[in-house]
Structures are given as structure tokens and as C-alpha cells.
Amino acid sequence: MPVVRNGGRRDACPTTNSMETQTALPTEELLINMGPQHPSTHGVLRLVLTLDGERVVEAVPHIGYLHSSMEKIAEASTYQQYVPYADRYDYLNAMGNEFAYVRAVEKLCGIEVTPRCEYIRVIMAEMNRIASHLVYFGCLGLDSGAWTPFLYCFREREVVLQLFEDTSGQRLLYHYLRIGGLRNDLPAHFCDKLAEFLDYFPDRIKEYDDLLTYNVIFRNRLEGTGQLSQELCRRYSISGPNVRGSGIPYDVRRVVGYSIYPQLEFDIPTQEEGDAFARHLVRVEEMRQSVRILKQCLEKLPEGEINVKVPRKLKPVVGEVFERLESPRGELGCYLVSDGSEKPWRLHWRAPSFYNLQVLPELVRGAYVADIVIILGSIDIVLPDIDR
Amino acid sequence: MNTSIIYAIGAAVRAWSEEFCQGHGIPTLFVDILAWGIGAILVLVLALLVALFIIWLERKVSGYIQVRLGPTRVGPVGLFQTAMDALKLLQKEDIIPQGADYWLHLCGPVLVFTSFMLGFAVIPWDVKATLAANVDLNVGLLYLLGVTSVGVLGIVMAGWGSNNKWSLLGAMRGAAQIISYEVPLLLALVCVVMVAGTLSLTRIVEAQGPGILAWYVFKPYLWIPFIMFIICGTAEVNRTPFDLPEAESELVGGFHTEYSGMKFALFFLTEFDHMWFVGLLGAAVFLGGWQSPIGAADPIPGFVWLMLKSFAFVLLLQWFRWTLPRLRVDQLMGLAWKFLIPVGFIALAIVCVAVLFV
């Protein structure tokens, strides 16, 4: 528990003139628990806040309420058995998690997958990025008090989820990617349905922008809120749209260039301001870029096999491997150590939400209570991703 | 059109109470009390029914705005949904949190509810018809602002008495907000009072006739007060974009977090009735109250017109709520003190000049 500081802490908190002139009034700071049950902590995050009126003096995040031994489970299951678990910790990016895990295992075993498989995997990952950013968009609307964008976003997300369901039989946790390939090929109508969605989706993004992004109240709430400097980004190892909102064009898809991303044309959207609004704009633009990527993938999608032969009992050589890719939340890394048996000796996730959350106390210091939910929404965390 | 259905009901109630008192040898003093009492109960029942209707309407409107249907199952187009909800709330256990101040916790919702209900006393429903037939309070507007301000006390009592820090924050916000927005609201209404030359709501409505062009909203020098009234009215009702005292995503539920059952229902009903109340007030002072847009020759009763006008306000507030995000507390205060109040004084000056020379 944090120490309740008395009035001496006041100078650290930027105060207005009127507050300074009233220091003669004896005031107390308020220690208050935000969460684990709270509508806007995006799950079961607990923040212990020290408030000076409506101002935040100190915020201490407490995590672990959703801890489910995701990494330990890997040590008790074979390489193939673990794939569905990978879905489950960052549930908004299930395809991306599987992608990271199967890539790590394939690198460990030296498996090369077919070109068609690579394309389908990228299609899935990008569709999942769109779905994840739609959830972000809607939830930030909820956090700022606008209820309607959420339902609009979920209307489009539904189309994406339907395509996932048609492909893998699941709507949220797919277990679609397999080591050395995929569960099955795309269904017959998939490409047409997706192309149709990609045609109208940019218009829908514009609709959301008109409704929420360029609303003057929303802009006033977001601009200047949660200022994240480049120095803070480096110190806390921030990644994903958060770091790009601060003007650093760091995107693993470009920096590492894994899978077929080097063959695709897309921009890395960045904003210089580093506030919540900049991060918001980056995510909206990323949805447009994902549409671009998906269109190219559909054009170039090669025919052929989707699976390569992989032995039933997968026993990689002794060694370790670290594979990273760009999840909607940032740099997602999968670290695998093999001792030559059919089970991993150790698996570790470099979960982007975990790193991004650490900067929260810095961002909310001196902000208003209402800003906490905006900042939390704008760094876009997923709690199971943090607790694993 | 000198009489109306509402007036006739009021007169009948009065005649019956006179007869009742004479028949039972009750002093004539009690005739007024009896007649007003019956009138008050009628208005209360009407207000509760309208609140139920508005809650249903809110659900439908939000449904249409959000590409969904809203309630459809209970009764035709889900009309009885809120009635069933009210029944459910009645059955619920009344939970008083540990460490709560029992009396403050109890009095909070009661005071909030009562203060808004008192405001209905001076609403002119139709020609010569306020709550009790022909009673017309000559300081109606002043009375109305006075009694509705008492509701703030109820909110603070609820927030403090709940022994919950989130509730306390909500109550503090509520008090600050409602007191702040009372000032520009008052300025907007003073403009109307200057034009009408009276504080009596009945006479303010009478001054806006006949015909649509006589309504105050169509007088160019009252446009600024009208817009101010809409903004401040929204803030007074604590609805988005000014729903900071409740602010579900920040303060969980604000001052009514710790309430359940009927006490919660009182807050809930008050919120929706207050919306209608602002609509009635706005209709009376800017849209000509029960006056018909085509003058006295209109066969449609004035009460119907008043309802239509007040519900136009209600729909406007609902549209705001389902479209706009929420302001932050400093922006809210800044809007009231740094923008609306100066603008209000300017509008007042304009109206002064207009009243002198137009």
C-alpha cells in the first residue's frame, strides 16, 4: 500500500492559482480504491489512488487478479497442445498470439511454411488488429461518456468475427493456426465477403470519426491528456501505437519485417504530440493501413498447399528462441527454451500491455480523476495480457 | 378559448371539496387544502406516469440511435417494460451500507424527489390551470428556481450519507455543477422576465400569444437566452454531456452508487421527471406554453400542445445524451463561469435595450 502523503506533497501536483491562494484551508488527501470492480478499468485492474480533490497525487496499479499460469502451463503441455492457450491471454488478439507462438516453435524446429499459409496468417492477424482497434475505439468512447460509438464499432467487429467463425468455427479464441500450417483452408466465400467488408469499412471509419474523434468535447478531453514523452517511452519500453503516438516510428512489422510484411506496402502512422488524442489518431489510421494490407493480401493470395508435414511428436533440438511481432497493443514477444523433449522447458511472453501499463502512474500524476479512465483507455491494455 | 379540460377538472375538484366540507361541517379553510391536495396527487400521478413513459422513450430512442431495437417484449413495443422495472425495484431489498448515516441516506432521495415535485405546483398546464384550478403564484418563476435548488442538498446528503468515497466525489461534483449552472440559467430566465414584465409563469405564457410568432423563441433578442437555457437545463438535469455527478465510467454511479430498491427508483424517476420538468419550463417561457401555434381558433386543447413542446425538449436532451461524450470537471466549471455567465450578462444588456426600444 502506498504511503498517504500529507500537504507537503502538494507542490508536485500542478495546481491552479485559486487552489494556491486557499492553502490556509486544512485539506486532506483521499485514499481511494479504483477497481478491481470498476466499469472503466478494462477488466480487473486495481488502482490505489491518492486524490487531492479531483486531482490525482499518486496512483499505484495492482495487478495479478487474472493470473492464470499461462507460462507455467506451457511447461506441462506439448508444443501442439499449447496453441489454444496462446489464444487466451490477449483475447482481443488471439490470432496474433497464435502467430507469435507458432512462429517461435517453427523457428525452433526449422519448419518452413507454405506461401499460402503465410498470406492467410497475415490476413488473420490484420483482421484481428482491426477487430481489436474497434474494441479500443468503442471503449474509449464509453470511457469518455459517449455510448453510441461502442455499438457502431461492434457492428463492424461483428462482420470480422463472423468471418473468423466461418473460417475457424470460433468467434473469439480461434485455435486456427497450427505448427507448420493452419487448421483448414479458407472457406469458399471468404475472399468475397472480406473484399466487400474492406470496400465499405473506410467509410465506416469516417463515420466514427465524425461521431467521436472530431467531436469538440472529445478533443478537449483527449488533447494534452496523458502526455507521453519520447524519453518516457524509452525508459518504460513502451511499444505499439503508444510509442508511435509520441513520434517514434517503431513498428515490428517494419523493423523486423517478419513473415510477408516486407512484400507489402503500408505506412507506419505516427503523431508527434504524444497525448491521448495522438494515440487515438494513430490507431484510427492503423485501421486504414490494415485495410490496405488486407487488400494487397487478397490480391496476391497464392494458390497451393497450406500445411507442411510436421511430425506428430515434435522434439526440437536443445536451444532457445525469441520471436516477436506487432500485436495491436505493441511488441509481442515469445521466448521459448527447449531441452530436447516434446514439452517446452520454459516459455515467456513479452506482453505489450504489461510494459505499457507501467507508465500509467507517471501519466496520471497531476491529472483529474476523469483523465485516469481516458489515459487507461488510450494506452489500450488487456488485463489477461498483463497477468497471463 | 377561456376554459379548458384541465380547468374543468380543477373546478370540479374544487366544487366537490366545497360540497364535501359543507356536508361534513368542516371549516371552509380546509376546502383549499382538500382541493389543492387532490390537485397535487393528480399532478404527482401524472408526473410518475410520464416518468415511466420517458424511461421507455429513452430506451427506444437510444435503441434507434444505436442501431438496435430497444425493449420489444413486454407489452406492445415494450411499453410496459419500465412498469415492470418499477415493480422489480419495489420488491428489491433496501440495502443500507455499513457505516452509512441512516437518516441522511434515507432523506437524500426523498429530498431530491420532493424538491422537483414541488416545482410542478406552478406549471401552467392549460388556460387558467395550474395545479389547483385557478391559483396563480405571482412569483412563480422565483418559487420554482428556489424549490428545485433544494434538490442539491439531497444529492449532497445522499453522497455524504452513503459512506462511499465515489459517492462523495459524485455529490461534490453535483453540488458544484448545479450551483454553478443555476447562475446562467437564472440570467437566461431574467431576460424572459424582463420582456414579459412578470414573474408569474401563467402570465409569461399569456404574454406569448396569439400565434406562433409571438412565442419568445422567435424574438431575435431572446435567441441567446434560449440556447443558454438549453445548455443550463441539460446541466441542471445532470445529463450527458454534463452527467459528471453520475459519470458511470469514472465514478461507478456517483451519488446513487449505494442505493438500491425504491430509494434508487426515486433518484431514477426524479432524473427523468426533471428532464420533463425542464421541458415544461422551457415550453412555458420560450415556446408559449399551452398556446397553440395558430392562435385561439385551434380546436386542439392547450394541454396537448404543452405536452408536445415539452417532449420536444425531452427528445433533444435524449439526442444529446446518446451522441455526445462527457466534459471534464474543470471544463464544466470553465464553461459556466468563464463563458455562459459573461454571455448571459451580454444577453441581458441586449434584452434591456430591446425592451426599451422595440
Side-chain angles (χ1 to χ4, degrees), chain A residues 31 40 54 144 148 152, chain B residues 65 165 173 249-250 322 326:
Chain A
L31 190 72
S40 298
E54 286 263 349
S144 64
T148 306
Y152 283 20
Chain B
I65 290 178
K165 290 170 184 173
R173 283 183 178 188
S249 51
E250 296 155 22
W322 298 108
R326 183 188 306 122

Side-chain angles (χ1 to χ4, degrees), chain A residues 20-46:
Chain A
E20 276 160 12
T21 52
Q22 286 176 6
T23 43
L25 273 174
T27 56
E28 264 178 56
E29 277 157 357
L30 190 66
L31 190 72
I32 192 166
N33 236 330
M34 188 168 176
Q37 284 95 20
H38 187 281
S40 298
T41 50
H42 294 232
V44 282
L45 175 68
R46 174 174 165 225

Side-chain angles (χ1 to χ4, degrees), chain B residues 191-197 221 348-358:
Chain B
C191 293
V192 175
V193 169
M194 286 185 48
V195 176
Y221 48 87
L348 196 61
I350 295 172
V351 170
C352 285
V353 175
V355 167
L356 275 179
F357 297 107
V358 178

Side-chain angles (χ1 to χ4, degrees), chain A residues 37 63 80 127 213:
Chain A
Q37 284 95 20
I63 60 169
Q80 284 98 335
M127 277 167 66
T213 309

